[in-house]
Amino acid sequence: MRNLVISVPRLEIHRPPISTAIVAEVIRNHGAPVQALDLNCDFFHFLPNRQAYYGYDEIWDTVRKPTFAELKNMFRFIKQSLEKMKLYDRYWISVFGSSGHLFTKLLCKFIRKYLPNKKVILGGQGAAASDLHSKETGFGSTLRQQGLCDMYLTGEGEEIIKKVLDGKTDGPGINNENPVQVDNINDLPYPNYSFYDLDRYDYLSDKKEVFIVGSRGCVRRCTYCDVAKYWPKFRYRSGDNIASEMINHYEKHGVTEFYFTDSLINGSMKAFNDMCDRLAKYNTDHKAGFQWKGQFIFRPKNQLPQDHFATVSAAGGKEFYVGVETGSDKIRWEMDKKFTNEDIDFQLEEFNKHNINVIFLMLIGYVTETLDDHKDTLKMFKRWQKYVATGTIKGIDLATGLL
């Protein structure tokens, strides 16, 4: 059976999709014929310009309904895409989130009408998420009840997909929302970007960039965060394994820019330090010029080895998003963040010294925040203003306040 792994809008267009690159590789490793199709990227090139592409964001987020012309565009694009799809027997459609629901439903309707004998399997977080019009029923379950898909998968797909390929039709994560976590993510296959034309993406610079997954879940349990709901157990790959993947993408595709999807890139200090040691040596020996970014946590300075940030910089660590949240040590401790303003002082100075950028992520209006706590946050802007002047603090995201 010929398999086609499909990415659908909306995804970001700045990097190739990692989930379908992994799914396609799992299927290939299992010995089945497979190809991948990025309909999100195809839709970007189908439309006349970048502005038109981003104009659909409000539609995907259900802020507004599509105009007649926009709907006609979607219909025309899907019918055109079916010509590429008809050569395959089974479609694995990755639904990244609720913003992929509208397009996925339209696509499945067209498949049922024009290619009725094809098998349709939905996966991804969007398959488990509630349908916007039926809050109690997951999207995958809804479409299956409506006859628009044959199966939906939830949770981590690497193991479930192999079971489906072996003929399984039930079990954890197969047509239900009760998946089992994969314990050892060190043995999972690297995403295979050979399935895509990497020159078609709208990169943020003149260099190719791909996603990297170093861990799943989070080592922290911040009081306001829902990561533990989706990933109850924190698991991480070895630093050598992560570095090997990055080097593989560089040697195979010339990729030098990487974005970590991890909740915390330095969740495991051992893995993080090992990765940095290996990348720093490779950068020195091969002049690769790696640069990478991701979500990071400031740690107590007594947990950090000497010359830690010199190695991070030499390895290519360039830009980190840090949940500083507040200028109040008291509130940050109540959030279970476990670092202080003094720890931030130390790490900002190290970032400044080694040319590493940081973007502060803030959370205004925490449930125990008082006016004095808020004043501590206001003082924070003056306290670290000098690092804005040097470019170390690249931005501050004030978010929308606690909801």
Side-chain angles (χ1 to χ4, degrees):
M1 187 173 280
R2 294 164 298 178
N3 297 275
L4 183 65
V5 181
I6 303 171
S7 304
V8 298
R10 180 190 51 186
L11 291 172
E12 67 152 71
I13 193 63
H14 307 310
R15 307 170 186 93
I18 185 171
S19 56
T20 46
I22 293 172
V23 170
E25 182 65 0
V26 169
I27 296 171
R28 188 187 73 82
N29 286 342
H30 207 67
V34 62
Q35 188 49 263
L37 177 65
D38 187 354
L39 291 185
N40 180 64
C41 187
D42 285 354
F43 193 55
F44 175 79
H45 289 285
F46 173 81
L47 295 171
N49 52 53
R50 188 181 285 107
Q51 184 178 356
Y53 174 81
Y54 286 112
Y56 279 78
D57 282 357
E58 290 184 339
I59 299 171
W60 307 140
D61 289 334
T62 67
V63 174
R64 66 176 178 87
K65 293 183 178 181
T67 65
F68 179 75
E70 289 168 331
L71 201 59
K72 192 174 177 182
N73 258 343
M74 283 191 272
F75 289 173
R76 192 159 56 92
F77 171 72
I78 291 173
K79 289 191 75 172
Q80 175 181 300
S81 301
L82 293 183
E83 287 300 308
K84 303 176 185 177
M85 294 168 55
K86 67 182 182 182
L87 301 174
Y88 302 88
D89 307 302
R90 180 165 49 192
Y91 306 141
W92 306 76
I93 303 176
S94 174
V95 191
F96 180 73
S98 59
S99 59
H101 285 180
L102 174 60
F103 186 92
T104 301
K105 192 166 187 176
L106 283 176
L107 177 62
C108 289
K109 285 184 175 181
F110 271 77
I111 292 170
R112 287 303 191 229
K113 181 175 181 179
Y114 295 103
L115 302 170
N117 297 320
K118 308 296 185 179
K119 297 293 183 183
V120 178
I121 301 173
L122 303 185
Q125 190 57 48
S130 296
D131 190 310
L132 294 173
H133 303 292
S134 177
K135 297 294 185 184
E136 295 181 358
T137 306
F139 180 71
S141 177
T142 299
L143 261 60
R144 185 165 178 255
Q145 290 170 20
Q146 295 172 353
L148 295 177
C149 72
D150 299 283
M151 186 180 293
Y152 71 95
L153 311 178
T154 61
E156 297 163 296
E158 291 92 348
E159 297 302 318
I160 299 173
I161 287 166
K162 289 189 284 187
K163 291 177 182 176
V164 173
L165 290 169
D166 288 336
K168 298 284 186 183
T169 57
D170 57 26
I174 301 176
N175 296 325
N176 60 65
E177 285 77 32
N178 303 300
V180 175
Q181 282 191 290
V182 176
D183 285 327
N184 185 6
I185 65 171
N186 223 42
D187 294 336
L188 299 180
Y190 298 158
N192 186 347
Y193 293 111
S194 299
F195 289 105
Y196 301 109
D197 179 354
L198 296 188
D199 293 325
R200 298 185 74 220
Y201 291 88
D202 190 35
Y203 299 109
L204 295 170
S205 71
D206 59 353
K207 297 176 181 177
K208 295 173 184 173
E209 183 173 2
V210 300
F211 290 109
I212 293 287
V213 179
S215 62
R216 294 177 180 177
C218 191
V219 71
R220 287 282 188 262
R221 286 294 185 268
C222 298
T223 55
Y224 53 82
C225 184
D226 66 349
V227 166
K229 173 185 174 183
Y230 300 104
W231 312 107
K233 182 180 178 182
F234 175 63
R235 297 141 304 149
Y236 59 92
R237 296 163 59 190
S238 71
D240 187 66
N241 187 271
I242 299 167
S244 293
E245 181 186 336
M246 296 167 75
I247 292 167
N248 172 71
H249 295 321
Y250 169 70
E251 294 180 347
K252 200 170 182 179
H253 302 293
V255 175
T256 57
E257 308 268 325
F258 302 90
Y259 185 89
F260 280 81
T261 66
D262 304 38
S263 296
L264 293 177
I265 190 174
N266 58 338
S268 163
M269 284 301 295
K270 175 173 174 31
F272 185 70
N273 291 334
D274 289 348
M275 177 192 78
C276 288
D277 287 343
R278 171 112 185 258
L279 290 178
K281 185 177 187 310
Y282 190 90
N283 256 342
T284 301
D285 293 347
H286 297 83
K287 304 291 187 279
F290 288 149
Q291 289 198 346
W292 39 271
K293 57 186 94 165
Q295 295 190 125
F296 188 90
I297 191 167
F298 286 143
R299 290 183 175 273
K301 62 181 181 180
N302 61 6
Q303 294 182 6
L304 302 172
Q306 191 174 9
D307 297 328
H308 175 69
F309 290 104
T311 306
V312 172
S313 180
K318 182 60 181 174
E319 184 175 294
F320 298 137
Y321 298 80
V322 178
V324 172
E325 316 303 357
T326 173
S328 166
D329 279 346
K330 177 175 76 73
I331 294 300
R332 200 180 302 114
W333 210 259
E334 289 173 358
M335 292 175 171
D336 215 16
K337 300 295 291 190
K338 294 185 171 64
F339 62 88
T340 66
N341 287 335
E342 186 180 344
D343 296 322
I344 299 173
D345 277 329
F346 168 72
Q347 277 155 112
L348 284 177
E349 186 57 34
E350 288 293 306
F351 277 24
N352 188 59
K353 192 187 302 182
H354 297 291
N355 196 30
I356 300 171
N357 299 325
V358 62
I359 295 172
F360 281 18
L361 306 179
M362 305 296 293
L363 198 160
I364 308 300
Y366 187 69
V367 288
T368 60
E369 185 178 274
T370 66
L371 184 57
D372 285 340
D373 295 320
H374 184 64
K375 287 177 180 177
D376 285 343
T377 296
L378 297 180
K379 292 174 187 174
M380 180 195 79
F381 289 92
K382 287 186 178 180
R383 177 172 182 159
W384 292 315
Q385 190 177 39
K386 62 182 179 180
Y387 296 113
V388 177
T390 62
T392 298
I393 298 178
K394 191 174 179 181
I396 296 180
D397 184 351
L398 296 178
T400 57
L402 185 68
L403 299 178

